[in-house]
Amino acid sequence: ALRAATRHMLACAPGEGAAVSVPYLSLFGTVAGGIMHARMAAAAMMGKEQGRDPEFHGGIIALADFYNAHILPRSAAFHETVM
């Protein structure tokens, strides 16, 4: 979705792209946050499996789950607005 929105923005006339710049940046930030939370969760799972501070790593995994369930779905609306 982000790649398609970026291509769309690059193909737009300057005024048209400016009209959806805020939703595009919101899409970009939301997707980037999702990527970072996925990376943190993967590292936390490894740490938890190795027995290193399971409470801390469990919290990181829970945070990533929350982001995935409640924040990341907003990217669909941002994508629809941009396109």
Side-chain angles (χ1 to χ4, degrees):
L2 181 58
R3 184 170 292 167
T6 301
R7 287 185 183 137
H8 177 75
M9 290 290 288
L10 292 172
C12 287
E16 187 181 327
V20 292
S21 61
V22 171
Y24 174 76
L25 291 174
S26 296
L27 170 63
F28 195 98
T30 303
V31 171
I35 292 167
M36 296 311 298
H37 279 84
R39 289 179 178 175
M40 290 185 332
M45 284 184 196
M46 287 176 44
K48 193 173 180 182
E49 287 172 0
Q50 295 171 359
R52 293 182 296 157
D53 200 353
E55 186 176 323
F56 172 76
H57 290 99
I60 297 294
I61 294 167
L63 178 63
D65 287 343
F66 176 86
Y67 193 92
N68 186 47
H70 299 282
I71 307 299
L72 196 57
R74 298 175 187 178
S75 63
F78 296 137
H79 179 261
E80 188 176 322
T81 302
V82 171
M83 301 304 279

